[in-house]
Amino acid sequence: MTRIIAGRAGGQRLKSVPGSATRPTTDRVKESLFARLDAWGMCDGARVLDLFAGSGALGLEAASRGAATVTLVERAGPAARVCRENAATLATSCPDTHITTVQSSVGGYLGRAPFHRWDLVLADPPYPLENDELARTLSLLRGRLGPGGVVVVERSARTEEPAWPAGLRRFEVSDHGETRLWYLEADTEGDADDAAVAE
């Protein structure tokens, strides 16, 4: 069982996805990640997208810390069901957060979803996912981050840094044992292109 670390639902236990196909983020990594995000003011009132959601633990942690909306995207049926069950568990503690679970591949969702801008995108792809495929998937986020928006990608510390797609650049990285967190933001060129489109 995993749990919510802090916030309105702090201490609440969450269901885990049965089997070994899903790799949950450890409490230690979550604590470090969300301490950093809280210091940056990233959660309160945020529009959050949790990609490769698994049990939904990362997105639901953001909900507990005051996110306005959380969208959990998970392709596997059993994991999507666990996302819905965990979201229902948090409903009482986080009544002001709108939580949605979408059963879909990440690329499929981003390719067809109505245009949204997200403040925080959490991506914990399966470790076997190749860096090239990850970069293609993340390229679909171009122009879809709100002002000051951040993308956090969780990978194995043994994995080489991906070639990040145009429109995103790494600004920070942190290691936690076998886990590495990459922090991305919209790059200046991408922002300029988006502004031109908006005009």
Side-chain angles (χ1 to χ4, degrees):
M1 292 282 263
T2 59
R3 65 187 177 93
I4 298 296
I5 301 296
R8 297 174 292 181
Q12 177 68 58
R13 292 192 174 277
L14 301 175
K15 289 186 177 181
S16 299
V17 180
S20 59
T22 300
R23 170 188 41 77
T25 301
T26 66
D27 283 355
R28 185 167 65 90
V29 173
K30 278 196 296 185
E31 286 174 353
S32 177
L33 165 62
F34 280 94
R36 190 165 301 202
L37 294 176
D38 284 343
W40 296 337
M42 293 302 307
C43 291
D44 192 31
R47 298 158 294 181
V48 178
L49 179 63
D50 185 354
L51 303 176
F52 311 96
S55 68
L58 291 181
L60 297 176
E61 185 73 37
S64 180
R65 295 171 188 249
T69 66
V70 175
T71 302
L72 309 173
V73 181
E74 172 56 52
R75 179 176 60 183
R81 285 193 293 274
V82 171
C83 282
R84 293 188 184 96
E85 292 170 5
N86 285 336
T89 297
L90 262 67
T92 300
S93 302
C94 307
D96 298 329
T97 302
H98 181 70
I99 305 171
T100 304
T101 299
V102 179
Q103 185 178 346
S104 170
S105 68
V106 169
Y109 172 75
L110 292 175
R112 71 172 182 273
F115 185 81
H116 293 293
R117 285 189 184 270
W118 289 285
D119 303 304
L120 175 61
V121 179
L122 303 164
D124 183 9
Y127 281 177
L129 186 75
E130 296 291 339
N131 276 346
D132 288 349
E133 184 176 350
L134 174 61
R136 285 193 296 272
T137 300
L138 294 176
S139 71
L140 298 173
L141 292 170
R142 182 182 174 125
R144 303 187 78 168
L145 294 180
V150 170
V151 179
V152 184
V153 179
E154 180 176 338
R155 297 290 273 165
S156 167
R158 301 169 186 265
T159 304
E160 292 184 4
E161 180 172 5
W164 305 112
L168 291 175
R169 67 180 175 195
R170 172 180 59 83
F171 69 91
E172 195 158 332
V173 60
S174 61
D175 285 335
H176 311 272
E178 291 296 312
T179 300
R180 178 168 292 155
L181 298 175
W182 304 97
Y183 296 84
L184 315 175
E185 62 187 353
D187 66 22
T188 304
E189 180 182 352
D191 290 343
D193 290 345
D194 295 339
V197 171
E199 292 172 0

